[in-house]
Amino acid sequence: MTSDSTRQEVLVVTGMSGAGRSTVGNALEDLGWYVVDNLPPQMIRPLVELADKAGGTIPKIAAITDVRGGRLFADLQETVESLRATSAVRVLFLEATDDALVRRFEQVRRPHPLQGDGTLLDGIGAERARMLEMRESSDIIIDTSDLNIHQLATKVSEIFAEEGTPGVQVTVVSFGFKYGVPTDADLVADMRFLPNPFWVPELRNLDGLDPVVSDFVLDQEGAREFVDAYASALEPVLAGYQRENKRHATIAIGCTGGKHRSVAVAVQLATIIRGLPGVAVNVKHRDLGRE
């Protein structure tokens, strides 16, 4: 018999239309889940079986299913019960008050999927009746009535994030201004206030990864002071990113050609901020070797 520790982990996300399924799906993707939206219940088992054959490369599946599936949705309860024997299945049910749902539908100017020729409240009432059994058997219920998208994403992270999962993945990228600023940069710092090793003959053909060049750059007046101060300034920023569920951040460090100063400073900055709570860091040197 397959043990609980090795069974495929499956989360079925369902609930009221307009209660935040898309936000939950995005939050789960950020946490490493394989998310499939608007999946008919009958397709959940084939998806789980396919993941099993993948040899553990898809350990966590989130299937979002709801009344958009029409008559196919009627089989959800039976599908979940049959899966519990072979997989670690949980059901997350999202709900909200009628007032909150009406307000959200009116904001996006879309009809309720069960509204038909009736009113929004008619559609919401019909959905509540159809979802009652599923709600009562759900493992987790989240009322999103008073939650904005950031608060809902935070709640999902609190429930489903594994211990050790970073709150924000930071990429520190060095670059050369003459090749353009990285278009995906959240923050940009300019190292052209430091002397350029390019004009030192014995350093010109080396790069910022070489200890000789790195020491030269960081020993310049103001260099280490800048890196330390910038790292301190980033601490509340990265903490705020985590609170706002901004899971990825790119910090760009530039110099003229992206070979010496920016490379050395990017490495040093990454070393410092790697020790901040909830922060995982990788370093890229976009223009190194381009000359």
Side-chain angles (χ1 to χ4, degrees):
M1 180 179 292
T2 306
S3 67
D4 287 344
S5 61
T6 59
R7 290 196 302 171
Q8 181 72 52
E9 187 172 1
V10 180
L11 178 68
V12 176
V13 181
T14 190
M16 298 297 295
S17 300
R21 288 187 304 268
S22 295
T23 298
V24 170
N26 292 335
L28 290 169
E29 279 191 343
D30 288 340
L31 294 173
W33 288 72
Y34 183 83
V35 179
V36 183
D37 192 11
N38 198 14
L39 189 69
Q42 294 84 352
M43 296 300 297
I44 298 177
R45 179 174 289 282
L47 177 62
V48 173
E49 293 173 350
L50 181 63
D52 284 336
K53 293 178 181 178
T57 58
I58 310 177
K60 299 184 295 183
I61 295 173
I64 301 176
T65 185
D66 51 69
V67 294
R68 289 175 294 174
R71 293 181 179 179
L72 295 175
F73 181 76
D75 293 336
L76 179 60
Q77 186 79 33
E78 181 181 347
T79 299
V80 169
E81 292 304 319
S82 66
L83 280 171
R84 291 191 190 278
T86 56
S87 305
V89 179
R90 287 182 290 175
V91 177
L92 168 61
F93 190 96
L94 302 173
E95 67 175 6
T97 64
D98 287 359
D99 287 345
L101 295 175
V102 168
R103 184 172 62 252
R104 292 170 188 174
F105 273 104
E106 288 180 342
Q107 286 174 347
V108 298
R109 298 182 179 181
R110 296 189 63 188
H112 188 281
L114 298 184
Q115 182 174 340
D117 295 329
T119 67
L120 266 175
L121 284 174
D122 291 335
I124 292 170
E127 186 176 27
R128 285 201 191 281
R130 187 175 298 186
M131 300 295 292
L132 181 59
E133 183 180 6
M134 196 72 244
R135 183 191 185 283
E136 292 178 347
S137 64
S138 295
D139 302 282
I140 304 163
I141 299 174
I142 299 178
D143 187 335
T144 70
S145 302
D146 298 319
L147 302 179
N148 61 38
I149 59 175
H150 301 296
Q151 293 168 332
L152 177 55
T154 297
K155 195 170 189 67
V156 171
S157 180
E158 290 172 351
I159 296 172
F160 295 103
E162 296 179 355
E163 186 175 353
T165 300
V168 58
Q169 176 68 56
V170 177
T171 299
V172 180
V173 56
S174 68
F175 72 96
F177 277 98
K178 70 179 183 180
Y179 302 116
V181 176
T183 57
D184 60 347
D186 297 291
L187 300 164
V188 179
D190 185 353
M191 296 302 102
R192 291 175 294 185
F193 72 92
L194 299 173
N196 192 346
F198 179 84
W199 302 113
V200 180
E202 58 270 27
L203 301 180
R204 177 173 300 178
N205 294 324
L206 303 176
D207 59 52
L209 296 176
D210 191 295
V212 176
V213 175
S214 179
D215 289 344
F216 175 88
V217 171
L218 295 173
D219 286 343
Q220 299 301 313
E221 182 177 357
R224 294 187 188 274
E225 290 85 348
F226 169 81
V227 176
D228 290 342
Y230 194 44
S232 295
L234 286 172
E235 185 170 356
V237 173
L238 296 177
Y241 280 174
Q242 294 180 65
R243 289 193 300 271
E244 293 300 310
N245 288 287
K246 180 175 172 58
R247 295 286 176 179
H248 302 276
T250 298
I251 301 172
I253 309 295
C255 63
T256 302
K259 180 178 180 180
H260 297 109
R261 295 165 290 180
S262 62
V263 173
V265 171
V267 171
Q268 181 66 15
L269 179 67
T271 299
I272 297 174
I273 66 174
R274 191 170 279 120
L276 296 178
V279 175
V281 182
N282 64 74
V283 184
K284 293 175 60 178
H285 304 296
R286 191 192 71 178
D287 299 323
L288 193 60
R290 191 165 181 172
E291 293 183 345

